[in-house]
């Protein structure tokens, strides 16, 4: 049960402060279903029946006066499902391009901070009798893994699933400014992060020391991040609008390439993304030989016992995509070696350690620091590449099967293009977000992603048909 006036974690709060006039910090997805589309009331009933399992969807954020304490989750006494679940239709002929344009417009709008921070849009009229459900949830509520888990909660596993028992939800009284201020002052006097850290050290000193040492190793490995990335057109100031595009692949094809050529599923994914960026920059007339693109790769630190919790439990590694390598097999090998080194260097653990240290900062300083980072800190990264595994079984909404799903990743700082990857029921799909004014050619990147996987599949087929081919190394575990 969610505690009344539960504070946001330091990481959750940071996503609120990273949001600016031109950076909307919500993640999202586009789910395409078989037709015919359900009625609005039918879909409302489905979502309403699941809200008891996702309490955050009926809560809003309240900031503590003078920023003397963490923002708090509180029940929204005026919660209205019809405000969050919206209905629209694509103009005829309802092409996939029209759907992608709609997603770009919807995602460019900030969520209303006076209400629970999520929206769902039912989009009817997609060609071939299909319809789509476009969802956006603020990053302060969920990370990618939590968002994937929530998808399995909101949707059904069976076509004719019985609706769960409804709940008699009664919002708890909303705190006033004096109560919020009092709770914030009490928090300053006894900061929970410090208490938890000390408790961890006392209960398990050996494990705590080992974790601290591993984090130190990771920090040493991250020292290269102080170097600014080389200039590319994919970096620069952002405008207020967004473009969004997608690429389709199959998880089985990615695994075929991995088994034949070595590496992991994630290595193959990064290799095809690298090919996409290489194609994009070459089409723009930019030099790619002997160059790399540095990408932030979010890494889940969510324990199995924490699956289903609506919050952020994520760290990051920083990889360099070798766009200067033209040969696809050599490119994959380079990425595999690099990712192995990053894992051994404890880079993700270092990122988690840095994030947890923000819990020691007073909320006012944390807010100021995050805003500064949003303006200047991301000049050391060119893009973001996030890969979230989704359910490998069919899901349904109001009896309609989910055919495929595509992810949406927000843009911030100096990053004009971001790539998200999501797997569902055998598909492995890429959602590419771009700044509207400076990235009109996202289709080139998406075509490059699909071509990159086809290149690796051709090599895999050649390897399988060649009797004299040297044995491949055993692929690393995913």
């Amino acid at each position: 049960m969610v505690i009344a006036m539960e504070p946001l974690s330091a990481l959750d709060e940071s996503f609120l402060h990273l949001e600016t006039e031109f950076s909307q910090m919500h993640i999202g997805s586009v789910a395409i279903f078989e037709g015919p589309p359900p009625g609005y009331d039918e879909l409302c009933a489905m979502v309403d029946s699941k809200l008891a399992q996702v309490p955050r969807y009926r809560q809003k954020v309240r900031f503590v006066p003078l920023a003397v304490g963490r923002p708090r989750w509180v029940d929204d006494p005026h919660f209205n499902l019809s405000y969050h679940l919206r209905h629209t239709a694509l103009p005829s002929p309802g092409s996939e391009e029209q759907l992608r344009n709609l997603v770009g417009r919807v995602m460019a709008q900030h969520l209303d901070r006076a209400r629970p921070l999520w929206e769902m849009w039912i989009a009817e009229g997609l060609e071939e009798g299909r319809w789509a459900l476009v969802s956006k949830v603020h990053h302060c509520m969920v990370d990618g893994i939590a968002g994937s888990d929530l998808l399995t909660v909101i949707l059904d596993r069976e076509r004719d699933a019985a609706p769960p028992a409804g709940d008699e939800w009664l919002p708890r009284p909303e705190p006033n400014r004096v109560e919020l201020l009092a709770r914030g002052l009490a928090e300053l006097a006894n900061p929970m992060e410090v208490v938890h850290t000390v408790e961890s050290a006392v209960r398990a000193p050996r494990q705590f020391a080992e974790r601290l040492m591993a984090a130190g190793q990771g920090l040493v490995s991250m020292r290269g991040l102080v170097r600014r990335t080389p200039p590319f057109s994919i970096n620069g100031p952002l405008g207020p609008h967004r473009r969004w595009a997608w690429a389709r692949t199959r998880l089985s094809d990615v695994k075929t390439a991995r088994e034949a050529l070595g590496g992991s599923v994630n290595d193959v994914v990064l290799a095809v993304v690298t090919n996409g960026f290489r194609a994009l920059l070459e089409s723009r007339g930019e030099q790619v030989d002997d160059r790399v693109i540095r990408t932030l790769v979010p890494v889940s630190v969510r324990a199995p016992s924490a699956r289903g919790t609506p919050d952020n439990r994520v760290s990051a590694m920083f990889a360099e995509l070798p766009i200067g390598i033209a040969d696809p097999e050599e490119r994959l090998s380079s990425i595999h070696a690099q990712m192995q080194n990053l894992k051994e260097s404890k880079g993700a653990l270092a990122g988690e350690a840095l994030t947890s240290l923000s819990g020691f900062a007073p909320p006012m300083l944390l807010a100021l620091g995050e805003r500064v980072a949003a303006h200047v800190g991301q000049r050391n990264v060119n893009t973001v590449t996030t890969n979230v595994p989704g359910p490998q079984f069919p899901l349904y909404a109001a009896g309609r099967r989910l055919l495929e799903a595509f992810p949406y990743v927000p843009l911030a700082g100096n990053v004009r293009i971001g790539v998200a990857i999501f797997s569902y029921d055998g598909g492995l799909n890429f959602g590419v977000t771009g700044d509207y004014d400076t990235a009109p050619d996202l289709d080139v990147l998406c075509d490059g992603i699909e071509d990159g996987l086809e290149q690796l599949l051709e090599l895999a087929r050649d390897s399988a048909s060649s009797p004299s081919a040297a044995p491949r190394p055993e692929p690393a575990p995913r």
Side-chain angles (χ1 to χ4, degrees):
M1 180 178 178
V2 178
I3 301 172
M5 289 178 61
E6 181 182 1
L8 278 72
S9 72
L11 181 56
D12 293 345
E13 183 186 358
S14 71
F15 288 112
L16 289 171
H17 299 311
L18 280 172
E19 197 162 54
T20 67
E21 179 185 8
F22 291 162
S23 292
Q24 309 87 14
M25 292 306 297
H26 44 255
I27 60 177
S29 65
V30 179
I32 297 178
F33 294 86
E34 65 182 6
Y40 177 76
D41 291 341
E42 186 179 3
L43 205 56
C44 275
M46 184 199 78
V47 175
D48 186 59
S49 69
K50 306 295 182 67
L51 288 178
Q53 302 176 61
V54 281
R56 285 281 186 269
Y57 275 46
R58 291 190 286 209
Q59 293 184 314
K60 62 182 180 179
V61 174
R62 283 290 305 275
F63 286 87
V64 176
L66 307 177
V68 298
R70 290 282 168 72
R72 301 276 168 171
W73 293 111
V74 302
D75 289 349
D76 180 7
H78 306 293
F79 177 77
N80 183 348
L81 179 59
S82 63
Y83 174 84
H84 299 274
L85 191 58
R86 305 181 180 190
H87 194 192
T88 189
L90 299 172
S92 180
S95 66
E96 292 185 344
E97 181 181 3
Q98 288 172 314
L99 173 61
R100 292 191 291 266
N101 290 338
L102 171 68
V103 173
R105 291 196 300 271
V106 167
M107 294 301 186
Q109 304 302 313
H110 286 81
L111 289 162
D112 185 353
R113 291 198 178 187
R115 302 172 185 266
L117 295 170
W118 66 277
E119 292 174 3
M120 288 184 183
W121 291 72
I122 308 162
E124 292 188 13
L126 185 60
E127 58 190 0
E128 300 177 7
R130 298 169 298 166
W131 61 281
L133 190 62
V134 180
S135 67
K136 49 192 286 193
V137 185
H138 202 286
H139 216 328
C140 73
M141 287 177 62
V142 295
D143 58 23
I145 294 293
S148 173
D149 290 343
L150 287 173
L151 185 67
T152 62
V153 172
I154 294 294
L155 301 181
D156 297 316
R157 294 196 181 198
E158 300 174 1
R159 186 181 295 274
D160 299 317
D167 68 321
E168 294 292 333
W169 183 70
L170 293 175
R172 289 163 294 196
E174 184 174 356
N176 58 38
R177 289 174 58 85
V178 173
E179 291 171 322
L180 288 168
L181 182 60
R183 186 65 65 93
L185 291 172
E187 185 180 82
L188 281 180
N190 184 24
M192 294 306 296
E193 288 84 359
V194 178
V195 173
H196 290 160
T197 301
V198 173
E199 286 179 347
S200 298
V202 170
R203 284 198 307 265
R206 180 177 176 182
Q207 291 91 329
F208 182 80
E210 290 175 350
R211 188 171 180 81
L212 196 61
M213 184 176 296
Q217 290 178 315
L219 288 171
V220 172
S221 73
M222 293 168 68
R223 64 187 182 276
L225 289 177
V226 299
R227 302 191 314 269
R228 291 186 61 169
T229 54
F232 288 107
S233 60
I234 59 174
N235 298 109
L238 295 174
H241 306 298
R242 296 291 175 266
R243 296 181 190 269
W244 185 73
W246 68 46
R248 290 181 171 100
T249 64
R250 300 295 300 173
L251 186 57
S252 58
D253 289 340
V254 172
K255 290 182 176 180
T256 296
R258 168 205 174 202
E259 291 165 0
L261 305 175
S264 68
V265 167
N266 197 53
D267 295 338
V268 174
V269 167
L270 289 178
V272 300
V273 169
T274 302
N275 190 68
F277 276 110
R278 176 182 170 89
L280 176 70
L281 294 174
E282 283 187 322
S283 73
R284 294 182 176 185
E286 298 183 46
Q287 176 65 34
V288 298
D289 293 343
D290 301 319
R291 303 189 77 182
V292 297
I293 285 177
R294 184 181 294 154
T295 182
L296 182 150
V297 182
V299 178
S300 175
V301 292
R302 184 177 297 274
S305 60
R307 293 298 294 262
T309 56
D311 58 3
N312 286 275
R313 303 195 183 190
V314 65
S315 179
M317 294 193 297
F318 298 87
E320 294 188 339
L321 305 181
I323 58 171
I325 300 178
D327 180 81
E329 186 171 8
E330 184 182 346
R331 188 187 306 138
L332 173 60
S333 177
S334 172
I335 288 174
H336 174 61
Q338 182 185 169
M339 296 307 292
Q340 287 296 106
N341 289 335
L342 286 173
K343 292 172 185 176
E344 293 170 2
S345 68
K346 314 293 184 183
L349 188 55
E352 183 189 3
L354 288 174
T355 300
S356 65
L357 288 176
S358 65
F360 290 85
M364 187 181 299
L365 293 181
L366 178 62
L368 177 62
E370 294 293 348
R371 289 192 178 100
V372 171
H375 287 289
V376 300
Q378 290 197 9
R379 293 179 182 174
N380 293 331
V381 233
N382 297 113
T383 188
V384 59
T385 312
T386 174
N387 186 4
V388 176
Q392 296 305 306
F393 47 83
L395 294 173
Y396 300 86
R400 283 75 169 175
R401 180 169 177 161
L402 171 61
L403 301 175
E404 52 185 350
F406 300 87
Y408 176 92
V409 63
L411 304 179
N414 209 40
V415 174
R416 288 174 168 170
I417 295 178
V419 181
I421 305 99
F422 183 72
S423 57
Y424 161 71
D425 197 23
L428 186 69
N429 293 332
F430 298 71
V432 181
T433 307
D435 175 61
Y436 189 90
D437 298 321
T438 59
D441 47 359
L442 294 183
D443 57 320
V444 177
L445 192 155
C446 292
D447 290 344
I449 288 173
E450 294 177 354
D451 290 344
L453 181 56
E454 185 56 38
Q455 293 169 12
L456 293 176
L457 285 174
E458 287 183 10
L459 289 171
R461 288 190 286 265
D462 291 344
S463 175
S465 62
S466 174
S468 60
R472 300 284 178 180
E474 186 68 23
R478 183 180 176 182

